[in-house]
Amino acid sequence: MKFIVIGITDNPEPFFPPEVTEIIKQGKVFSGGRRHHDIVAPLLPKDAEWIDITVPLDAVFDNYQLSIIHYPLMPIIVFASGDPLFFGFANTLQREFPDAELRVFPTFNSLQMLAHQLVMPYHDMRIVSLTGRPWPAFDRALIERTPKIGILTDREHTPAAIAQRMLDYGYCDYTMYVGEHLGNPALEKVTMLTLDEAAQRQFATPNCVIVKSLSSLPSPLSSEFGIPDASFALLDGREKMITKMPIRLLTLQALELPTKHIFWDIGFCTGSVSIEARLQFPHLEIHSFEIRPECETIIHENARRHGAPGIHVHMGDFLTTPLSMGEGLGVRLPDAVFIGGHGGHLKEIMAKILTLLAPGGVIVMNSVNAPLVKTDSHQLWDEACRELGLQQETPLHIQLNDHHPITILKCRR
């Protein structure tokens, strides 16, 4: 198979160099989005065949295969927005047809055009695509205090939705620049707004966004290691219901989070462990579980207080929550799990975790050595590890001030 991918802008009268013009004249099978077809239709040969790029893409790929059967010597000429190798359709073709011959004729992508309009250097801009993608890459850029972020949008992740997310989590020190219909002289528009203004506006599509910090704030990772306990909202004001900061940091260290990808926090209560992990290790995908309904409001409040977007919160009994891949919540398999609470069902919880834990995954729990605690969690832990064939590591014993001693327990498959 052979593909020729031609980048275009929103200009209704596109200009192509002579080589590309000749390729179009000689073409037979063309493809692109409907917006692309409206732009290039006057330039196509009269007998041209067009394959719309619409979801599901499997149907598009089937049509490509059929066209090669009918026209084995003809390339499929695909029109794509901007630079087809910049989060573009050429990447999709390479993934789907790895043996195909691919030739690309790019033009400026939308973020480049927006930067050109603003006369803004963009060599230091971090690029995030939210086009058909969820929030994690953008959340990470915020947590890391990236000073300049270029964002590709879609109809769900609009400039207004982006601005509102930034405001919700306290990332207010940014100016937003929105480019609409870039490349189309009649419709092109560039607007500079505060986040409050952007959150209340509707914008024409297609559009793209650049957000630029108003100040040179350091990353939380370098300015503060460990969140003060007093900054968290508590469950019923009970200070003992939060994992203290030094214990949190030792717990995160035991979980080996710098090298992990999916972290589960079971029995999150105030969310302090999840939030600390989110800020210290923003590459993680974090899923937090809690049976007490009143804790849902608390973790969301604490996440907003500390600028920790992107924590997936799951309410209900962990033991009855469907978690397998492609079923129920569709949660991805963890390689690090912290058990913050077990309600006397530690063995059952660990058995369920073990059915899902990724190879090389670790489980960590903190056991309180208090004389009034009825259930000996350390003993339950030892029994569960022995019955499930888990390999324990040497426990870590620690005591803070007048608090009861804590034992940090760790095991792995």
PDB file of all heavy atoms in Angstrom, residues 161-178:
ATOM      1  N   ALA A 161     -13.934  24.558  28.836  1.00  0.00           N
ATOM      2  CA  ALA A 161     -13.754  23.426  29.750  1.00  0.00           C
ATOM      3  C   ALA A 161     -12.340  23.401  30.305  1.00  0.00           C
ATOM      4  O   ALA A 161     -12.117  23.094  31.487  1.00  0.00           O
ATOM      5  CB  ALA A 161     -14.075  22.115  29.033  1.00  0.00           C
ATOM      6  N   ILE A 162     -11.363  23.727  29.471  1.00  0.00           N
ATOM      7  CA  ILE A 162      -9.964  23.778  29.913  1.00  0.00           C
ATOM      8  C   ILE A 162      -9.786  24.867  30.964  1.00  0.00           C
ATOM      9  O   ILE A 162      -9.174  24.651  32.017  1.00  0.00           O
ATOM     10  CB  ILE A 162      -9.042  24.019  28.702  1.00  0.00           C
ATOM     11  CG1 ILE A 162      -9.063  22.794  27.777  1.00  0.00           C
ATOM     12  CG2 ILE A 162      -7.616  24.332  29.154  1.00  0.00           C
ATOM     13  CD1 ILE A 162      -8.467  23.058  26.406  1.00  0.00           C
ATOM     14  N   ALA A 163     -10.324  26.047  30.684  1.00  0.00           N
ATOM     15  CA  ALA A 163     -10.210  27.160  31.637  1.00  0.00           C
ATOM     16  C   ALA A 163     -10.875  26.818  32.966  1.00  0.00           C
ATOM     17  O   ALA A 163     -10.333  27.108  34.038  1.00  0.00           O
ATOM     18  CB  ALA A 163     -10.830  28.424  31.045  1.00  0.00           C
ATOM     19  N   GLN A 164     -12.051  26.198  32.909  1.00  0.00           N
ATOM     20  CA  GLN A 164     -12.760  25.862  34.146  1.00  0.00           C
ATOM     21  C   GLN A 164     -11.986  24.831  34.956  1.00  0.00           C
ATOM     22  O   GLN A 164     -11.939  24.921  36.192  1.00  0.00           O
ATOM     23  CB  GLN A 164     -14.157  25.321  33.822  1.00  0.00           C
ATOM     24  CG  GLN A 164     -15.048  25.165  35.053  1.00  0.00           C
ATOM     25  CD  GLN A 164     -15.264  26.485  35.768  1.00  0.00           C
ATOM     26  OE1 GLN A 164     -15.759  27.447  35.181  1.00  0.00           O
ATOM     27  NE2 GLN A 164     -14.873  26.547  37.042  1.00  0.00           N
ATOM     28  N   ARG A 165     -11.367  23.864  34.306  1.00  0.00           N
ATOM     29  CA  ARG A 165     -10.573  22.869  35.026  1.00  0.00           C
ATOM     30  C   ARG A 165      -9.387  23.533  35.727  1.00  0.00           C
ATOM     31  O   ARG A 165      -9.059  23.202  36.869  1.00  0.00           O
ATOM     32  CB  ARG A 165     -10.094  21.783  34.067  1.00  0.00           C
ATOM     33  CG  ARG A 165      -9.470  20.565  34.776  1.00  0.00           C
ATOM     34  CD  ARG A 165      -9.205  19.447  33.789  1.00  0.00           C
ATOM     35  NE  ARG A 165      -8.726  18.227  34.413  1.00  0.00           N
ATOM     36  CZ  ARG A 165      -9.487  17.279  34.957  1.00  0.00           C
ATOM     37  NH1 ARG A 165     -10.800  17.434  34.965  1.00  0.00           N
ATOM     38  NH2 ARG A 165      -8.965  16.187  35.501  1.00  0.00           N
ATOM     39  N   MET A 166      -8.745  24.465  35.044  1.00  0.00           N
ATOM     40  CA  MET A 166      -7.624  25.172  35.645  1.00  0.00           C
ATOM     41  C   MET A 166      -8.075  25.973  36.859  1.00  0.00           C
ATOM     42  O   MET A 166      -7.404  26.002  37.898  1.00  0.00           O
ATOM     43  CB  MET A 166      -6.957  26.068  34.605  1.00  0.00           C
ATOM     44  CG  MET A 166      -6.348  25.289  33.432  1.00  0.00           C
ATOM     45  SD  MET A 166      -5.683  26.345  32.132  1.00  0.00           S
ATOM     46  CE  MET A 166      -4.178  26.945  32.925  1.00  0.00           C
ATOM     47  N   LEU A 167      -9.228  26.640  36.752  1.00  0.00           N
ATOM     48  CA  LEU A 167      -9.753  27.414  37.877  1.00  0.00           C
ATOM     49  C   LEU A 167     -10.143  26.514  39.043  1.00  0.00           C
ATOM     50  O   LEU A 167      -9.884  26.831  40.211  1.00  0.00           O
ATOM     51  CB  LEU A 167     -10.960  28.234  37.423  1.00  0.00           C
ATOM     52  CG  LEU A 167     -10.685  29.372  36.438  1.00  0.00           C
ATOM     53  CD1 LEU A 167     -11.992  29.914  35.885  1.00  0.00           C
ATOM     54  CD2 LEU A 167      -9.891  30.485  37.114  1.00  0.00           C
ATOM     55  N   ASP A 168     -10.765  25.381  38.738  1.00  0.00           N
ATOM     56  CA  ASP A 168     -11.221  24.471  39.784  1.00  0.00           C
ATOM     57  C   ASP A 168     -10.072  23.992  40.664  1.00  0.00           C
ATOM     58  O   ASP A 168     -10.251  23.779  41.873  1.00  0.00           O
ATOM     59  CB  ASP A 168     -11.927  23.260  39.169  1.00  0.00           C
ATOM     60  CG  ASP A 168     -13.311  23.584  38.638  1.00  0.00           C
ATOM     61  OD1 ASP A 168     -13.842  24.653  38.990  1.00  0.00           O
ATOM     62  OD2 ASP A 168     -13.858  22.769  37.876  1.00  0.00           O
ATOM     63  N   TYR A 169      -8.899  23.798  40.064  1.00  0.00           N
ATOM     64  CA  TYR A 169      -7.774  23.240  40.809  1.00  0.00           C
ATOM     65  C   TYR A 169      -6.715  24.289  41.160  1.00  0.00           C
ATOM     66  O   TYR A 169      -5.598  23.943  41.535  1.00  0.00           O
ATOM     67  CB  TYR A 169      -7.160  22.076  40.030  1.00  0.00           C
ATOM     68  CG  TYR A 169      -8.058  20.856  40.040  1.00  0.00           C
ATOM     69  CD1 TYR A 169      -8.958  20.631  39.005  1.00  0.00           C
ATOM     70  CD2 TYR A 169      -8.044  19.974  41.109  1.00  0.00           C
ATOM     71  CE1 TYR A 169      -9.807  19.529  39.020  1.00  0.00           C
ATOM     72  CE2 TYR A 169      -8.893  18.870  41.140  1.00  0.00           C
ATOM     73  CZ  TYR A 169      -9.765  18.655  40.090  1.00  0.00           C
ATOM     74  OH  TYR A 169     -10.614  17.568  40.117  1.00  0.00           O
ATOM     75  N   GLY A 170      -7.087  25.556  41.029  1.00  0.00           N
ATOM     76  CA  GLY A 170      -6.230  26.612  41.547  1.00  0.00           C
ATOM     77  C   GLY A 170      -5.104  27.055  40.634  1.00  0.00           C
ATOM     78  O   GLY A 170      -4.209  27.786  41.078  1.00  0.00           O
ATOM     79  N   TYR A 171      -5.123  26.658  39.376  1.00  0.00           N
ATOM     80  CA  TYR A 171      -4.078  27.097  38.446  1.00  0.00           C
ATOM     81  C   TYR A 171      -4.575  28.354  37.732  1.00  0.00           C
ATOM     82  O   TYR A 171      -4.884  28.341  36.534  1.00  0.00           O
ATOM     83  CB  TYR A 171      -3.742  25.969  37.471  1.00  0.00           C
ATOM     84  CG  TYR A 171      -3.124  24.776  38.174  1.00  0.00           C
ATOM     85  CD1 TYR A 171      -3.903  23.717  38.596  1.00  0.00           C
ATOM     86  CD2 TYR A 171      -1.758  24.745  38.455  1.00  0.00           C
ATOM     87  CE1 TYR A 171      -3.341  22.630  39.267  1.00  0.00           C
ATOM     88  CE2 TYR A 171      -1.186  23.672  39.124  1.00  0.00           C
ATOM     89  CZ  TYR A 171      -1.981  22.625  39.524  1.00  0.00           C
ATOM     90  OH  TYR A 171      -1.418  21.561  40.194  1.00  0.00           O
ATOM     91  N   CYS A 172      -4.639  29.439  38.486  1.00  0.00           N
ATOM     92  CA  CYS A 172      -5.296  30.661  38.018  1.00  0.00           C
ATOM     93  C   CYS A 172      -4.333  31.656  37.382  1.00  0.00           C
ATOM     94  O   CYS A 172      -4.774  32.642  36.781  1.00  0.00           O
ATOM     95  CB  CYS A 172      -6.024  31.335  39.186  1.00  0.00           C
ATOM     96  SG  CYS A 172      -7.191  30.256  40.052  1.00  0.00           S
ATOM     97  N   ASP A 173      -3.029  31.435  37.531  1.00  0.00           N
ATOM     98  CA  ASP A 173      -2.041  32.427  37.116  1.00  0.00           C
ATOM     99  C   ASP A 173      -1.630  32.226  35.655  1.00  0.00           C
ATOM    100  O   ASP A 173      -0.452  32.234  35.327  1.00  0.00           O
ATOM    101  CB  ASP A 173      -0.818  32.363  38.037  1.00  0.00           C
ATOM    102  CG  ASP A 173      -0.171  30.989  38.045  1.00  0.00           C
ATOM    103  OD1 ASP A 173      -0.908  29.996  38.112  1.00  0.00           O
ATOM    104  OD2 ASP A 173       1.069  30.911  37.969  1.00  0.00           O
ATOM    105  N   TYR A 174      -2.605  32.008  34.781  1.00  0.00           N
ATOM    106  CA  TYR A 174      -2.337  31.813  33.350  1.00  0.00           C
ATOM    107  C   TYR A 174      -3.219  32.752  32.532  1.00  0.00           C
ATOM    108  O   TYR A 174      -4.354  33.050  32.913  1.00  0.00           O
ATOM    109  CB  TYR A 174      -2.646  30.377  32.917  1.00  0.00           C
ATOM    110  CG  TYR A 174      -1.613  29.347  33.309  1.00  0.00           C
ATOM    111  CD1 TYR A 174      -1.620  28.766  34.569  1.00  0.00           C
ATOM    112  CD2 TYR A 174      -0.627  28.930  32.398  1.00  0.00           C
ATOM    113  CE1 TYR A 174      -0.684  27.795  34.917  1.00  0.00           C
ATOM    114  CE2 TYR A 174       0.308  27.973  32.742  1.00  0.00           C
ATOM    115  CZ  TYR A 174       0.272  27.406  34.005  1.00  0.00           C
ATOM    116  OH  TYR A 174       1.207  26.448  34.339  1.00  0.00           O
ATOM    117  N   THR A 175      -2.685  33.174  31.406  1.00  0.00           N
ATOM    118  CA  THR A 175      -3.477  33.839  30.370  1.00  0.00           C
ATOM    119  C   THR A 175      -3.762  32.828  29.276  1.00  0.00           C
ATOM    120  O   THR A 175      -2.901  32.009  28.943  1.00  0.00           O
ATOM    121  CB  THR A 175      -2.718  35.039  29.783  1.00  0.00           C
ATOM    122  OG1 THR A 175      -2.515  36.009  30.805  1.00  0.00           O
ATOM    123  CG2 THR A 175      -3.492  35.670  28.638  1.00  0.00           C
ATOM    124  N   MET A 176      -4.965  32.870  28.717  1.00  0.00           N
ATOM    125  CA  MET A 176      -5.339  31.940  27.654  1.00  0.00           C
ATOM    126  C   MET A 176      -5.437  32.673  26.318  1.00  0.00           C
ATOM    127  O   MET A 176      -6.001  33.765  26.232  1.00  0.00           O
ATOM    128  CB  MET A 176      -6.674  31.260  27.968  1.00  0.00           C
ATOM    129  CG  MET A 176      -7.167  30.328  26.858  1.00  0.00           C
ATOM    130  SD  MET A 176      -8.669  29.381  27.285  1.00  0.00           S
ATOM    131  CE  MET A 176      -7.983  28.116  28.357  1.00  0.00           C
ATOM    132  N   TYR A 177      -4.887  32.061  25.295  1.00  0.00           N
ATOM    133  CA  TYR A 177      -4.986  32.551  23.917  1.00  0.00           C
ATOM    134  C   TYR A 177      -5.713  31.489  23.102  1.00  0.00           C
ATOM    135  O   TYR A 177      -5.336  30.318  23.110  1.00  0.00           O
ATOM    136  CB  TYR A 177      -3.601  32.799  23.325  1.00  0.00           C
ATOM    137  CG  TYR A 177      -2.742  33.751  24.126  1.00  0.00           C
ATOM    138  CD1 TYR A 177      -1.927  33.284  25.157  1.00  0.00           C
ATOM    139  CD2 TYR A 177      -2.742  35.116  23.850  1.00  0.00           C
ATOM    140  CE1 TYR A 177      -1.142  34.148  25.909  1.00  0.00           C
ATOM    141  CE2 TYR A 177      -1.953  35.995  24.592  1.00  0.00           C
ATOM    142  CZ  TYR A 177      -1.164  35.498  25.628  1.00  0.00           C
ATOM    143  OH  TYR A 177      -0.381  36.354  26.364  1.00  0.00           O
ATOM    144  N   VAL A 178      -6.767  31.894  22.401  1.00  0.00           N
ATOM    145  CA  VAL A 178      -7.575  30.960  21.618  1.00  0.00           C
ATOM    146  C   VAL A 178      -7.517  31.369  20.150  1.00  0.00           C
ATOM    147  O   VAL A 178      -7.762  32.534  19.806  1.00  0.00           O
ATOM    148  CB  VAL A 178      -9.043  30.949  22.096  1.00  0.00           C
ATOM    149  CG1 VAL A 178      -9.851  29.943  21.284  1.00  0.00           C
ATOM    150  CG2 VAL A 178      -9.116  30.611  23.588  1.00  0.00           C
TER     151      VAL A 178
END
